[in-house]
Amino acid sequence: MNTLHRLDDQLMTDVNDLARHTGWLHGAVLGYAGYGVVAFAALLLAGLWLRRAAPDRALAAAGWAPIAVLLALALNQPLVAAFAEARPYTSHPGLLVLATRSSDFSFPSDHAVMAGAAAAALWLVSRALGALAAVAALVIAFARVYIAAHYPWDVAAGLVVGALVALVGWLLLRRLLTVLTGWLRARPGLRQAFPAPATLPAGREPSTREAAAA
């Protein structure tokens, strides 16, 4: 454990040294570290829009994505309280601190948990959206270390925790969510927003393009 602590401290110092020498990046990184959640919200909405007329299972996956993010954040709170790790700037007063100082604990990072859950859940919806979210997640994890809000292991653990909640939750709940999605999209208020996929005439095989879209 001491070896891991030393490695984490060294990585923290290396990233902080980078921050000291890249003042031109401070504004952009600080902005994304604080407000990057907006990008994830946009990706989650894009997933729902993309799958709005897809089969129930695909739409259920898109609906699960924002739920997974909220669930991951809720489950992370007991972990944060249990580990009660001080923020880097509390333990290392010599750091360059760009983040707004907080009395909250540091491990695992809520931002990284959110990003990991969103990336994993969106991968179930669309590989393209999942890939975009994965890149965005890595960038926000780095940004949180860059501004000295978290240690590297805070964000690494957060990404893993978020992804596990999203993937394990989907494995356990996918059938229930698929049935629930089918029921919900049949309600008058949602039928127009999330239309059921068109059914093919009897005996007609779907074309390659139709099969891919499904």
Side-chain angles (χ1 to χ4, degrees):
M1 184 61 71
N2 287 335
T3 301
L4 291 176
H5 272 97
R6 286 195 297 270
L7 176 60
D8 194 51
D9 285 344
Q10 184 58 55
L11 288 173
M12 181 77 235
T13 300
D14 290 343
V15 174
N16 201 250
D17 286 344
L18 175 65
R20 291 180 187 277
H21 292 89
T22 52
W24 52 274
L25 262 180
H26 288 181
V29 176
L30 186 58
Y32 186 69
Y35 300 103
V37 292
V38 176
F40 290 94
L43 289 171
L44 292 170
L45 288 174
L48 280 170
W49 177 258
L50 180 67
R51 297 303 184 207
R52 68 192 185 283
D56 291 346
R57 184 185 175 96
L59 179 57
W64 165 245
I67 296 172
V69 170
L70 296 177
L71 179 61
L73 287 171
L75 293 176
N76 190 51
Q77 297 313 301
L79 291 178
V80 172
F83 284 101
E85 179 186 72
R87 296 278 181 167
Y89 44 74
T90 301
S91 304
H92 302 278
L95 291 175
L96 170 65
V97 181
L98 302 176
T100 300
R101 294 177 184 266
S102 169
S103 59
D104 295 342
F105 295 122
S106 188
F107 178 92
S109 161
D110 280 332
H111 281 77
V113 167
M114 173 277 301
L122 284 169
W123 188 264
L124 300 170
V125 178
S126 160
R127 289 186 178 180
L129 287 178
L132 283 174
V135 172
L138 292 174
V139 174
I140 204 168
F142 174 79
R144 298 298 294 176
V145 178
Y146 184 96
I147 66 173
H150 289 284
Y151 290 102
W153 66 359
D154 297 343
V155 296
L159 292 173
V160 172
V161 168
L164 284 176
V165 170
L167 296 177
V168 173
W170 174 248
L171 288 175
L172 295 175
L173 299 173
R174 65 187 186 280
R175 292 179 181 173
L176 174 62
L177 290 171
T178 300
V179 172
L180 181 60
T181 297
W183 181 83
L184 286 173
R185 79 189 313 179
R187 301 306 94 198
L190 295 175
R191 191 178 300 157
Q192 288 73 31
F194 301 99
T199 56
L200 294 172
R204 178 173 172 247
E205 293 295 327
S207 67
T208 302
R209 179 175 295 179
E210 290 169 336

